[in-house]
Amino acid sequence: MMLRIFLLCSLLFASASSLRAQDGEAERYPFYIQIGGHFAVLNPVEGFREALDKNGIGGGGQVLFQIGPGRPVFAGLDFSVVRFDEEVVSFTTTQNGFAENYELRTRSNMLLGHVLLRFKPFTGFFLQPYADGLLGLRRPYTRTKYVQLFDEGEEELIEAYPELNDNTFSAGLGAGVQARLSARPDILLDARCTYVMGGSARYLVRMDDPPAVFDDPIEVFEERITPTTALQFQIGITLQLGL
């Protein structure tokens, strides 16, 4: 744990040093803003993997602002939402002589939100590597939806209610690369891997031996409390605006 904190502090110190070194050249370059979206896979590791043997699948986005023209440092916000598991109970009722179809859906999820500091040196090449430091919170949560189903895949939400929510500290170190796909507009393919340390939290996982018959999907889940450290892999598209 101390080594990971040291690496994060080293990244922040290197970024700050780079800011001071390039003050004299700032006027020569544009000011960049990056807005991106990504597909994400969250892979639990260590004690988190022992309790939860499924990966989280989802997506998210980020907004980054360059810390001054010509400086290889960006700061902003980064978030992802992933789903780990789902259970569904379907049933049909008859009202006024017509059959009506319903579902109860219970899903376990995690929301991750971070303040992001990125060191991205200018390479003069279409491939642009970078390193990230992240600090924020994560929220494992499970909720159930009660929906009515109609023809052609349409549905109506009747009620949604939480089953279990929790919050915990989150911090990470990441590395990635951006590849320019287009110059006008400036569009980048963005791939990143991040090691995100997570504090202990309460969350629901599928039972090892769930009941064979159940009326409510929450009946196949049980509560666990562990650290929530994970590896996050993501790929996405970033729009870079130069002002």
Side-chain angles (χ1 to χ4, degrees):
M1 177 63 74
M2 291 301 298
L3 176 60
R4 297 164 187 164
I5 296 174
F6 173 76
L7 291 174
L8 178 58
C9 292
S10 298
L11 174 63
L12 298 177
F13 176 77
S15 300
S17 299
S18 178
L19 283 178
R20 293 192 297 268
Q22 300 195 30
D23 277 343
E25 301 183 0
E27 299 298 328
R28 298 169 47 194
Y29 302 97
F31 170 76
Y32 288 111
I33 299 173
Q34 293 191 346
I35 303 172
H38 59 258
F39 168 78
V41 176
L42 193 70
N43 178 27
V45 298
E46 303 172 0
F48 195 19
R49 170 58 72 179
E50 294 177 6
L52 180 60
D53 62 357
K54 289 191 174 184
N55 294 333
I57 306 295
Q62 59 187 216
V63 178
L64 296 173
F65 299 89
Q66 190 177 16
I67 307 299
R71 297 173 176 173
V73 180
F74 292 74
L77 300 176
D78 179 277
F79 74 94
S80 297
V81 180
V82 298
R83 180 193 304 171
F84 286 105
D85 208 347
E86 178 183 48
E87 185 59 64
V88 177
V89 171
S90 301
F91 57 94
T92 301
T93 63
T94 301
Q95 297 186 20
N96 299 321
F98 296 95
E100 296 185 351
N101 300 316
Y102 298 87
E103 279 188 355
L104 280 171
R105 302 173 187 158
T106 298
R107 293 172 175 172
S108 59
N109 315 275
M110 181 174 286
L111 169 65
L112 301 97
H114 299 95
V115 174
L116 170 64
L117 186 66
R118 171 169 295 172
F119 176 67
K120 178 185 166 185
F122 300 104
T123 64
F125 190 52
F126 82 99
L127 290 178
Q128 303 169 14
Y130 60 82
D132 286 349
L134 303 97
L135 186 65
L137 295 172
R138 67 185 63 190
R139 179 179 178 83
Y141 66 97
T142 301
R143 67 174 182 170
T144 295
K145 287 184 177 182
Y146 177 33
V147 298
Q148 183 176 1
L149 306 179
F150 300 96
D151 295 335
E152 300 180 354
E154 296 182 0
E155 61 183 48
E156 178 183 354
L157 176 64
I158 298 175
E159 184 181 7
Y161 47 90
E163 301 287 359
L164 178 65
N165 299 327
D166 203 0
N167 296 290
T168 189
F169 169 81
S170 183
L173 292 172
V177 62
Q178 293 177 335
R180 179 166 280 106
L181 300 178
S182 169
R184 295 183 180 180
D186 197 358
I187 298 176
L188 310 172
L189 178 67
D190 196 335
R192 183 179 75 170
C193 176
T194 309
Y195 181 85
V196 279
M197 298 169 284
S200 294
R202 298 160 55 238
Y203 55 91
L204 296 178
V205 301
R206 185 180 293 271
M207 297 176 179
D208 294 331
D209 187 21
V213 179
F214 49 89
D215 297 323
D216 192 323
I218 193 61
E219 296 176 23
V220 306
F221 291 88
E222 62 183 2
E223 183 177 324
R224 299 290 179 87
I225 303 176
T226 69
T228 53
T229 299
L231 282 172
Q232 179 167 305
F233 304 93
Q234 66 185 59
I235 187 167
I237 297 294
T238 295
L239 173 65
Q240 181 168 265
L241 305 173
L243 306 179

